[in-house]
C-alpha cells in the first residue's frame, strides 16, 4: 500500500480539540501512516508557543535565575493535554528529565526540541503508533548539514505495519548532541520522512488552505494558487511567502514527491499542490516581497575588463562572513544586494575594505531597499512581461531602483524603496492577475 506522510503545524496541534481534529484527518485515510507533529503553538493570538517558552526557560536558567514560570506553563499545558485526550502515559517523569538537563549545554537546541519530543510522545500514544526519536535517525554532519545517511537510517525505522510518529524540528550531530533545524523546521522533517518512507505524497497540514498569489495583508482578494512548482515556490517563499519553510522542498525534490498544503480547519479545501512541473495558463503564478535589504554599489571605469575585480569584492564579503542575494552589474558598476539581517553592522567595514583593496572610483552603501519577486514558469519565452511590470510600477509612481531577471526566465526581481513595497506589490498583482 502506498503511504502518505502528514506533518501537522503548531497551530493545528495547539490544544486537545485541535489534536482531535488532526486525529480525525489521519483516521479518514488509512494511507496516512507517517505523522510528523510540531510542538503545540498558540491557542489565541496573545498565547505563547511552547517552543518560545522552551527557549525562554533555557535562557533564564543559563543565567542562574528562577525559571519556574515558563517551566510551569509548559508542564501545565502538557499535563492538561494528556488529561483531556485521555492519554494514559505519565508525562511528569519526562518533564522532570528535561528540567534536570536544562543547563547541560550552552546551546538551546536540546531544550527547544523538547516541545516536539513531548508532543510526539503524546500523539504516538493517542494514535497507538510507533514513536521514532529523530535523535537516533535524523543525522547532521560536522558542518551542520543533513547527512544523507539519514534516509536509510530513518527508512529502516519506518518499516512494518501501522502508523509511525516522528517529531519534527530536530535530529542529532555526529557526537550525539541534539540539533534543531531553523525555526519552522518541522516542515523539513516532514519532507525527510516523506522521502525516507517513500511516501506518494507529503501532506503539510496547517492553518491556511495553501498559497495565495500575493500576501493577503497587502492584496486583500489575492487569488488562491492551485499548483506551483518546487522552483517557483523556492523563489516565492524565499522572498516572503511564509507558509512553508523555504528548505522543505530539498528532500522531496529529487524523488519528485508532491507536497500538498492543506488546512486542518477546512480539510475539504483543495489547498496548494507543489509539484516538479506543471502546465501554466497564466505566466505569473505569484508575487512576494519583503523589506530589509541593503545595496553596496561599487563604481570604477572599466571594471568589467579588470581581471578578478568581482572576485575581490566577493572575497571581502566572504571574509566578513556575509552572504549576498543578487549581483546586478554594468560595465562600470557592480552592486551587491544583501539582507540586513545578514549584513548586521558590517556595512562600513566592507565599504572600507573595498576602498582599500579595489581602489574604486566610488563605493556606497544604501539601506532601505525592498525586493519583490514576480514568479512563474509560464514567463519563460513570454514576450512583454518586463515591459508590463515596469509600466505598472511607473503608473503607480514607484521608483525602480534595481531590476534583475534570472536566466531561467521564471522570475523578475525588482528593488524599490521600502515605503513603496506594498504599493508596488499591488501594482504588479493588478498587472498580471488573469493576464497572459
Ligand atoms: N516548533 C518549532 C518552531 O516553533 C518548529 C516548527 O514548528 O516547525 O519553530
Amino acid at each position: 500500500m502506498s503511504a502518505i506522510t502528514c506533518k501537522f503545524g503548531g497551530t493545528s496541534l495547539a490544544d486537545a480539540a485541535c489534536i482531535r481534529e488532526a486525529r480525525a484527518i489521519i483516521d479518514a485515510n488509512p494511507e496516512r501512516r507517517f505523522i510528523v507533529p510540531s510542538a503545540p503553538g498558540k491557542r489565541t493570538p496573545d498565547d505563547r508557543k511552547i517552543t518560545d517558552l522552551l527557549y525562554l526557560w533555557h535562557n533564564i536558567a543559563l543565567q542562574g535565575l528562577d525559571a519556574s514560570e515558563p517551566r510551569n506553563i509548559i508542564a501545565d499545558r502538557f499535563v492538561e493535554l494528556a488529561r483531556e485526550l485521555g492519554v494514559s502515559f505519565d508525562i511528569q517523569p519526562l518533564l522532570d528529565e528535561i528540567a534536570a538537563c536544562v543547563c547541560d549545554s550552552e546551546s538551546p537546541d536540546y531544550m527547544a526540541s523538547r516541545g516536539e519530543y513531548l508532543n510526539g510522545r503524546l500523539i504516538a500514544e493517542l494514535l497507538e503508533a510507533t514513536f521514532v526519536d529523530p535523535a537516533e535517525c535524523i543525522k547532521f554532519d560536522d558542518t551542520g548539514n543533513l547527512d544523507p545517511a539519514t534516509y536509510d537510517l530513518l527508512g529502516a525505522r519506518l518499516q512494518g505495519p501501522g502508523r509511525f510518529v516522528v517529531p519534527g524540528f530536530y535530529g542529532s550531530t555526529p557526537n550525539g548532541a541534539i540539533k534543531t533545524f531553523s525555526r519552522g523546521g518541522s516542515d523539513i522533517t516532514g519532507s525527510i520522512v516523506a522521502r525516507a518512507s517513500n511516501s506518494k505524497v507529503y501532506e503539510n497540514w496547517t492553518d491556511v488552505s495553501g498559497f495565495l498569489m500575493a500576501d493577503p495583508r497587502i492584496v486583500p482578494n489575492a487569488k488562491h494558487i492551485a499548483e506551483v512548482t518546487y522552483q517557483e515556490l523556492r523563489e516565492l517563499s524565499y522572498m516572503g511567502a511564509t507558509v512553508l519553510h523555504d528548505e522543505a522542498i530539498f528532500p522531496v525534490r529529487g524523488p519528485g514527491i508532491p507536497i500538498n498544503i492543506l488546512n486542518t480547519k477546512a480539510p475539504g479545501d483543495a489547498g496548494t499542490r507543489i509539484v516538479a512541473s506543471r502546465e501554466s495558463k497564466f505566466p505569473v503564478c505569484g508575487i512576494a516581497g519583503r523589506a530589509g535589504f541593503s545595496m553596496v554599489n561599487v563604481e570604477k571605469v572599466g571594471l568589467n575588463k579588470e581581471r578578478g575585480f568581482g572576485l575581490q569584492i566577493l572575497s571581502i564579503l566572504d571574509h566578513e562572513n556575509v552572504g549576498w542575494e543578487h549581483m546586478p552589474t554594468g560595465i562600470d558598476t557592480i552592486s551587491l544586494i544583501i539582507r540586513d539581517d545578514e549584513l548586521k553592522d558590517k556595512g562600513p567595514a566592507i565599504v572600507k575594505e573595498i576602498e582599500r583593496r579595489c581602489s574604486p572610483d566610488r563605493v556606497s552603501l544604501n539601506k532601505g531597499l525592498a525586493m519583490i519577486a514576480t514568479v512563474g514558469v509560464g514567463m519563460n519565452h513570454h514576450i512583454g512581461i518586463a515591459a508590463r511590470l515596469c509600466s505598472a510600477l511607473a503608473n503607480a509612481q514607484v521608483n525602480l531602483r534595481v531590476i534583475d531577471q534570472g536566466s531561467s526566465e521564471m522570475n523578475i526581481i525588482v528593488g524599490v524603496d521600502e515605503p513603496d513595497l506594498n504599493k508596488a506589490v499591488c501594482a504588479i498583482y493588478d498587472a498580471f492577475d488573469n493576464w497572459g
Side-chain angles (χ1 to χ4, degrees):
M1 185 175 66
S2 46
I4 297 172
T5 293
C6 299
K7 180 257 168 179
F8 290 89
T11 42
S12 302
L13 303 173
D15 59 20
C18 294
I19 295 179
R20 281 194 206 100
E21 281 166 7
R23 177 164 70 174
I25 289 167
I26 297 165
D27 286 344
N29 185 344
E31 292 181 331
R32 294 187 174 127
R33 293 182 48 227
F34 303 105
I35 314 303
V36 177
S38 278
K42 292 184 182 189
R43 294 160 293 187
T44 55
D46 48 11
D47 194 13
R48 294 200 178 87
K49 292 176 79 166
I50 289 289
T51 310
D52 292 338
L53 289 165
L54 286 160
Y55 279 115
L56 185 67
W57 178 0
H58 179 255
N59 199 355
I60 297 175
L62 267 197
Q63 293 174 44
L65 300 173
D66 177 15
S68 53
E69 209 172 336
R71 188 183 63 211
N72 292 342
I73 301 174
I74 293 166
D76 289 350
R77 255 183 99 176
F78 277 108
V79 168
E80 188 182 313
L81 274 178
R83 187 176 43 78
E84 285 186 18
L85 292 167
V87 167
S88 61
F89 88 103
D90 188 5
I91 205 139
Q92 200 57 52
L94 301 179
L95 289 163
D96 293 344
E97 191 185 311
I98 295 167
C101 295
V102 60
C103 286
D104 280 3
S105 167
E106 294 264 306
S107 156
D109 286 19
Y110 165 78
M111 285 302 285
S113 73
R114 296 302 87 184
E116 271 71 10
Y117 173 78
L118 290 173
N119 217 19
R121 292 286 303 259
L122 195 89
I123 289 168
E125 201 72 24
L126 182 74
L127 297 174
E128 295 176 17
T130 305
F131 177 81
V132 176
D133 191 345
E136 294 160 12
C137 43
I138 294 188
K139 293 286 180 187
F140 293 94
D141 64 19
D142 284 323
T143 59
N145 290 318
L146 185 76
D147 182 341
T150 290
Y151 298 116
D152 286 344
L153 270 174
L154 178 59
R157 298 286 300 273
L158 301 177
Q159 298 298 320
R163 292 167 177 156
F164 296 81
V165 171
V166 187
F169 194 37
Y170 71 96
S172 66
T173 62
N175 66 17
I178 297 282
K179 178 173 166 55
T180 62
F181 293 103
S182 55
R183 295 300 303 264
S186 298
D187 285 340
I188 308 174
T189 310
S191 195
I192 293 169
V193 170
R195 174 159 165 183
S197 63
N198 213 357
S199 286
K200 65 173 183 184
V201 56
Y202 165 21
E203 292 180 347
N204 187 290
W205 290 90
T206 178
D207 53 357
V208 291
S209 298
F211 292 95
L212 300 175
M213 256 185 87
D215 184 338
R217 289 165 302 186
I218 302 177
V219 181
N221 295 318
K223 285 212 182 77
H224 169 250
I225 304 179
E227 214 172 47
V228 63
T229 67
Y230 299 130
Q231 213 184 351
E232 287 171 324
L233 184 70
R234 272 285 292 158
E235 302 284 347
L236 290 171
S237 55
Y238 178 71
M239 210 49 109
T242 53
V243 179
L244 187 75
H245 193 292
D246 65 356
E247 289 169 27
I249 60 159
F250 292 138
V252 291
R253 192 176 181 154
I257 301 166
I259 308 175
N260 279 1
I261 307 289
L262 296 160
N263 188 349
T264 24
K265 297 280 173 227
D269 282 4
T272 296
R273 199 170 162 81
I274 307 162
V275 292
S277 64
R278 68 182 185 95
E279 289 301 315
S280 71
K281 190 159 153 231
F282 300 112
V284 170
C285 88
I287 298 135
R290 70 172 173 209
F293 290 86
S294 292
M295 184 157 61
V296 177
N297 293 314
V298 186
E299 286 176 43
K300 186 172 187 180
V301 173
L303 68 76
N304 66 325
K305 294 255 161 40
E306 204 173 303
R307 282 284 149 87
F309 192 90
L311 222 55
Q312 285 267 24
I313 294 177
L314 295 185
S315 82
I316 291 167
L317 288 183
D318 195 39
H319 186 255
E320 291 288 341
N321 203 12
V322 168
W324 53 278
E325 308 298 321
H326 306 282
M327 187 165 67
T329 57
I331 24 171
D332 296 334
T333 57
I334 290 184
S335 300
L336 283 141
I337 295 164
I338 303 170
R339 278 168 56 158
D340 289 342
D341 53 10
E342 181 71 25
L343 187 63
K344 301 191 181 93
D345 55 0
K346 298 175 184 166
I350 290 171
V351 166
K352 229 175 170 171
E353 200 52 14
I354 293 174
E355 275 166 346
R356 193 179 71 79
R357 278 172 54 185
C358 307
S359 319
D361 297 338
R362 211 177 346 265
V363 51
S364 60
L365 173 69
N366 299 297
K367 294 194 155 288
L369 195 65
M371 302 299 288
I372 303 164
T374 302
V375 178
V377 284
M379 284 163 59
N380 195 347
H381 285 95
H382 199 298
I383 292 170
I385 307 266
R388 194 170 178 90
L389 189 146
C390 292
S391 50
L393 292 178
N395 290 339
Q397 298 291 306
V398 173
N399 178 38
L400 192 55
R401 291 183 52 193
V402 191
I403 177 159
D404 191 9
Q405 177 179 287
S407 56
S408 61
E409 279 192 57
M410 57 156 287
N411 62 354
I412 296 179
I413 312 241
V414 294
V416 301
D417 289 323
E418 278 178 346
D420 284 339
L421 172 62
N422 291 2
K423 194 161 62 158
V425 170
C426 288
I428 300 172
Y429 181 89
D430 289 341
F432 289 106
D433 183 23
N434 278 339
W435 178 81

